[in-house]
């Protein structure tokens, strides 16, 4: 009996053990699935937040593109107005990165000085604090009742197309608020406040130690540099603080790190820009670094002051609902105080940036590269079009200088000097070809974005302008080649022919000067009457000289070969005049 009973007992114990293992395995799997579900929800909510901020910011910039351009270019008469401008623009577009990148673009285009850019960047740091307040609102108020109707209205406006940017804005802000609700829900699902392991982990950090504060500051900086969104890192910080596991001092250290990390966007954007643009991006970094340095010196008293303003006592438990407000309050107090302290030192910051970033280009090299458009500048189509317009205007100025060099060849009869001049003109004409392709390629990339009809028209206009300007460069090269051939073949132009060519070239020079005035925007009203008058004079003179040349060749005043070369020069000048009038027509949008 005992032997018979033993196997049965073992089987019963084995069954019980197997049952316990199954329960344990099931518990582990369920726990893993719960954490995996919450983690993916958290990651998805952060991705949705970043996307929503991006869509909302871009929509606002498209809606107010020309106005933003006007504001940034004109409302910076002094450091105070520059700071207010930066604040208002950042509040409008809900992105300090967008404002600083636009500012760097304007400096790159020569529309803003470095001092003006620094004041705007200071204001942008104040304006971005509004985002933190919006997030704190999203954590304390259930906004789902507003989000879904906004989605519905947004999609209607997008399909109507007339108000699609308003629809994009509604979608962006709805995504942002929805993501905040999702983050709040995920935070509650994780129940970190009752997770002893997590509580013990954060409790192990000594909040009274500056090494701990510096460590979390570095973490905040690194994460912001990686995700390229201070809003996302702010959302994580609010989430951790609102659950009660992250002490307020460590949360504020993360916020300080976000202020440094967010400068990476503008610095990356300025990598391919000119020296002034890189200095503007550096000024943004220096401004935030200086702010962090002085705040660390008074860290605990300053944080305690902010906590008292927000009605929060760090020594008492059970006040986690006020922590998002404390973080937003600190962000605002820090940036406002930092701006107030440093706005009087803008000239000194400017000199420091000039010292740290020097001009690398040697004299004479700067004109042989793009100045106003760079591949690494991230911006809205409106700003891109402005950059291209500046580069096109510079192209026109370059062509006028090229023609001036050609005119000098008329009076140069020394073969060696003439050859050197022709070689230089050939290099400049090659550069004009490269410049046309570079601007056209840039405009093609801009065309891929969603553009307004007005912006599309500007791009078409510039495409025609650069094509005609390149044709003027070709005409200049043909003239220079004719003068070079004259010296190589030792063909002597008579004083009368030389004077006729000079008269024709003077007229084409007037046409180019008038064109350049229109391209640079230096003439009020931008009338085309003078250009039309000069074009008629060029055509009349060309016809007269052609008829006169036939008679002179028939009367053997000079050889047929000389007459042919002479009339080629006259015809090339007349073609150049036609290209000029085409540029004027494109710029003024009037068919002549």
């Amino acid at each position: 009996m005992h032997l018979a009973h033993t196997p049965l007992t073992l089987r019963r114990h084995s069954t019980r053990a197997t049952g316990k293992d199954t329960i344990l395995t099931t518990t582990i799997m369920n726990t893993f699935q719960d954490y995996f579900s919450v983690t993916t929800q958290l990651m998805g909510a952060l991705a949705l937040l970043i996307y929503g901020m991006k869509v909302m910011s871009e929509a606002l910039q498209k809606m107010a593109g020309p106005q933003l351009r006007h504001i940034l270019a004109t409302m910076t008469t002094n450091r105070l107005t520059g700071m207010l401008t930066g604040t208002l623009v950042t509040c409008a577009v809900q992105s300090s990165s967008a404002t600083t990148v636009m500012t760097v673009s304007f400096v790159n285009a020569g529309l803003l000085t470095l001092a003006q850019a620094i004041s705007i960047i200071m204001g942008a740091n104040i304006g971005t604090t509004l985002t933190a307040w919006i997030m704190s609102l999203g954590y304390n108020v259930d906004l789902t009742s507003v989000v879904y109707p906004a989605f519905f209205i947004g999609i209607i406006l997008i399909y109507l197309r007339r108000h699609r940017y308003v629809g994009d804005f509604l979608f962006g802000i709805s995504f942002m608020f929805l993501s905040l609700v999702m983050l709040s829900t995920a935070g509650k699902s994780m129940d970190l406040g009752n997770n002893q392991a997590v509580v013990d982990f954060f409790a192990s950090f000594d909040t009274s130690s500056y090494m701990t504060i510096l460590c979390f500051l570095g973490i905040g900086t690194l994460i912001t540099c990686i995700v390229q969104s201070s809003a996302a890192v702010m959302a994580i910080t609010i989430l951790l603080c609102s659950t009660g596991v992250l002490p307020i001092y460590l949360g504020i250290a993360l916020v300080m790190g976000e202020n440094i990390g967010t400068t990476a966007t503008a610095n990356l954007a300025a990598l391919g820009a000119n020296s002034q643009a890189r200095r503007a991006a550096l000024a943004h970094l220096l401004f935030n670094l200086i702010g962090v340095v002085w705040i660390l010196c008074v860290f605990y008293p300053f944080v305690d002051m902010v906590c008292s303003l927000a009605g929060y006592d760090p020594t008492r438990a059970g006040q986690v609902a006020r922590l998002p407000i404390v973080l937003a309050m600190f962000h605002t107090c820090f940036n406002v105080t930092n701006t107030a302290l440093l706005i009087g030192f803008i000239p000194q910051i400017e000199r420091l940036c000039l010292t740290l970033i020097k001009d690398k280009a040697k004299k004479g090299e700067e004109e042989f590269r793009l100045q106003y458009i760079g591949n690494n500048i991230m911006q809205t189509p409106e700003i891109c079009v402005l950059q291209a317009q500046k580069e096109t205007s510079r192209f026109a100025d370059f062509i006028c200088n090229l023609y001036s060099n050609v005119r000098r060849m008329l009076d140069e009869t020394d073969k060696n000097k003439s050859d050197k001049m022709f070689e230089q003109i050939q290099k400049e004409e090659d550069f004009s070809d490269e410049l046309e392709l570079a601007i056209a390629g840039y405009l093609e990339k801009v065309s891929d974005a969603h553009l307004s009809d007005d912006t599309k028209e500007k791009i078409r206009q510039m495409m025609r302008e650069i094509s005609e300007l390149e044709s003027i460069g070709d005409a200049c090269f043909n003239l220079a080649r004719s003068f070079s051939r004259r010296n190589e073949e030792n063909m002597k132009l008579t004083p009368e022919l030389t004077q006729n060519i000079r008269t024709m070239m003077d007229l084409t020079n007037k046409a180019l000067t008038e064109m350049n005035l229109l391209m640079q925007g230096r003439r009020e009203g931008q009338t085309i009457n003078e250009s039309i008058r000069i074009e008629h004079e060029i055509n009349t003179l060309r016809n007269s000289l052609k008829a006169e040349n036939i008679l002179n060749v028939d009367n053997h005043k000079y050889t047929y070969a000389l007459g042919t070369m002479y009339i080629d020069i006259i015809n090339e000048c007349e073609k150049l005049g036609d290209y000029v009038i085409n540029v004027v027509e494109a710029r003024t949008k009037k068919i002549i």
Side-chain angles (χ1 to χ4, degrees):
M1 290 291 293
H2 179 70
L3 291 172
H5 177 69
T6 302
L8 180 60
T9 305
L10 289 172
R11 282 198 300 271
R12 284 176 180 173
H13 280 295
S14 176
T15 303
R16 287 172 187 170
T18 304
K20 288 181 180 179
D21 289 343
T22 304
I23 292 170
L24 181 61
T25 303
T26 304
T27 303
I28 292 172
M29 288 297 296
N30 289 339
T31 303
F32 174 77
Q33 288 175 358
D34 289 343
Y35 273 106
F36 180 77
S37 176
V38 171
T39 303
T40 52
Q41 184 181 349
L42 184 64
M43 293 172 64
L46 286 172
L48 193 62
L49 173 67
I50 295 171
Y51 179 72
M53 291 288 293
K54 181 176 181 291
V55 171
M56 181 181 67
S57 178
E58 288 180 353
L60 284 166
Q61 290 174 64
K62 287 172 183 175
M63 282 192 289
Q67 289 76 14
L68 288 178
R69 198 168 70 190
H70 175 75
I71 290 169
L72 284 175
T74 59
M75 291 183 64
T76 52
T77 53
N78 57 61
R79 65 188 71 175
L80 182 60
T81 58
M83 183 268 292
L84 291 173
T85 300
T87 302
L88 292 173
V89 170
T90 306
C91 287
V93 301
Q94 274 302 292
S95 173
S96 61
S97 294
T99 304
T100 51
V101 167
M102 276 194 287
T103 303
V104 168
S105 302
F106 272 70
V107 174
N108 191 56
L111 296 177
L112 289 175
T113 64
L114 182 57
Q116 289 173 321
I118 294 171
S119 65
I120 291 172
I121 287 168
M122 287 181 174
N125 278 269
I126 296 175
T128 193
T129 61
L130 179 61
T131 305
W133 285 106
I134 292 173
M135 287 187 177
S136 67
L137 174 68
Y139 271 89
N140 288 290
V141 179
D142 187 3
L143 297 166
T144 51
S145 58
V146 179
V147 166
Y148 297 115
F151 274 128
F152 181 72
I153 296 170
I155 196 65
I156 292 174
L157 293 174
I158 289 171
Y159 273 98
L160 288 176
R161 295 190 63 79
R162 185 177 179 183
H163 301 290
R164 63 182 181 274
Y165 296 143
V166 178
D168 287 339
F169 166 74
L170 287 175
F171 254 64
I173 197 168
S174 297
F175 278 135
M176 187 182 76
F177 283 133
L178 181 62
S179 67
L180 292 174
V181 172
M182 291 169 64
L183 283 170
S184 180
T185 304
K188 291 173 183 176
S189 300
M190 293 172 76
D191 195 21
L192 295 177
N194 294 319
N195 189 320
Q196 197 59 40
V198 176
V199 172
D200 291 342
F201 172 76
F202 284 108
S204 66
F205 293 99
D206 183 7
T207 57
S208 63
S209 169
Y210 267 101
M211 286 303 298
T212 304
I213 301 302
L214 288 172
C215 178
F216 274 78
L217 187 150
I219 292 171
T221 302
L222 181 63
I223 295 174
T224 308
C225 287
I226 293 171
V227 301
Q228 288 288 293
S229 173
S230 60
V233 184
M234 175 65 81
I236 295 171
T237 306
I238 293 175
L239 172 65
L240 290 173
C241 286
S242 63
T243 58
V245 297
L246 184 67
I248 188 61
Y249 294 107
L250 302 186
I252 285 175
L254 288 175
V255 172
M256 289 164 57
E258 293 157 20
N259 275 270
I260 298 175
T262 194
T263 63
T265 305
N267 279 279
L268 287 172
L271 287 178
N274 60 25
S275 299
Q276 281 293 84
R278 284 185 282 117
R279 287 169 186 148
L282 176 63
H284 188 204
L285 174 61
L286 289 174
F287 172 74
N288 284 2
L289 275 176
I290 294 169
V292 168
V293 169
W294 73 256
I295 202 71
L296 282 172
C297 297
V298 292
F299 181 74
Y300 292 103
F302 192 88
V303 173
D304 290 341
M305 179 200 71
V306 171
C307 288
S308 64
L309 288 174
Y312 174 78
D313 185 356
T315 62
R316 287 174 53 195
Q319 302 178 77
V320 291
R322 300 203 65 80
L323 285 174
I325 298 172
V326 175
L327 290 172
M329 180 73 76
F330 172 82
H331 201 211
T332 301
C333 291
F334 167 68
N335 283 293
V336 170
T337 307
N338 195 33
T339 300
L341 290 174
L342 295 180
I343 196 168
F345 295 95
I346 287 178
Q348 287 75 18
I349 296 174
E350 182 181 18
R351 281 198 293 271
L352 180 58
C353 292
L354 290 170
T355 302
L356 293 174
I357 298 179
K358 299 184 183 297
D359 291 312
K360 292 183 179 179
K362 296 178 181 178
K363 187 177 180 181
E365 291 181 0
E366 186 71 17
E367 65 176 6
F368 287 96
R369 70 175 184 86
L370 295 172
Q371 285 188 357
Y372 301 117
I373 56 179
N375 293 330
N376 291 333
I377 292 285
M378 298 177 290
Q379 57 219 350
T380 59
E382 275 292 339
I383 305 299
C384 292
V385 169
L386 175 66
Q387 305 280 65
Q389 283 178 332
K390 290 287 291 183
E391 201 68 68
T392 303
S393 297
R394 175 176 170 262
F395 191 5
D397 198 46
F398 176 83
I399 289 296
C400 289
N401 291 332
L402 173 60
Y403 183 74
S404 297
N405 293 336
V406 173
R407 288 180 72 196
R408 283 194 286 272
M409 284 193 71
L410 174 62
D411 297 318
E412 185 54 67
T413 55
D414 183 89
K415 185 179 180 303
N416 291 330
K417 291 182 179 179
S418 176
D419 287 344
K420 289 181 180 178
M421 293 174 73
F422 178 65
E423 185 179 345
Q424 177 65 18
I425 289 169
Q426 190 173 22
K427 287 181 181 178
E428 293 178 356
E429 198 279 326
D430 288 340
F431 175 69
S432 74
D433 293 341
E434 294 172 8
L435 197 55
E436 179 202 14
L437 292 175
I439 298 173
Y442 186 74
L443 289 173
E444 284 177 355
K445 289 180 182 178
V446 177
S447 300
D448 293 336
H450 295 291
L451 305 173
S452 64
D453 293 336
D454 183 54
T455 303
K456 289 177 183 176
E457 179 58 33
K458 287 178 183 176
I459 290 176
R460 285 193 291 268
Q461 167 191 327
M462 276 187 284
M463 284 288 197
R464 185 183 177 194
E465 287 172 10
I466 60 174
S467 175
E468 299 295 342
L469 286 169
E470 193 277 330
S471 296
I472 295 174
D474 290 341
C476 289
F477 175 74
N478 292 336
L479 287 170
R481 186 169 55 188
S482 295
F483 293 139
S484 180
R485 183 164 64 89
R486 174 201 63 180
N487 292 329
E488 283 180 1
E489 298 177 7
N490 199 25
M491 300 174 73
K492 303 285 185 181
L493 288 169
T494 65
E496 181 184 0
L497 296 183
T498 302
Q499 183 55 46
N500 289 342
I501 292 173
R502 184 172 287 110
T503 302
M504 175 62 87
M505 294 191 79
D506 286 345
L507 277 175
T508 50
N509 185 60
K510 285 182 181 178
L512 278 166
T513 302
E514 189 67 20
M515 176 201 76
N516 205 24
L517 287 171
L518 290 172
M519 291 293 289
Q520 305 300 331
R522 297 175 193 156
R523 173 152 299 179
E524 302 237 347
Q526 302 228 328
T527 61
I528 60 173
N529 296 334
E530 183 64 13
S531 294
I532 295 173
R533 187 191 66 78
I534 295 171
E535 169 66 6
H536 288 161
E537 279 193 45
I538 290 173
N539 290 337
T540 302
L541 180 60
R542 188 274 312 265
N543 294 336
S544 173
L545 294 179
K546 282 183 72 173
E548 186 181 283
N549 177 64
I550 294 171
L551 291 175
N552 288 338
V553 170
D554 285 344
N555 294 330
H556 304 290
K557 285 190 176 183
Y558 43 79
T559 64
Y560 177 82
L562 183 62
T564 300
M565 186 196 69
Y566 160 70
I567 212 63
D568 283 346
I569 294 172
I570 297 299
N571 283 333
E572 203 63 52
C573 287
E574 193 276 332
K575 284 182 186 177
L576 193 152
D578 288 341
Y579 299 140
V580 168
I581 210 70
N582 289 341
V583 174
V584 172
E585 181 182 302
R587 174 49 63 105
T588 57
K589 301 179 185 177
K590 293 180 181 179
I591 299 175
I592 300 170

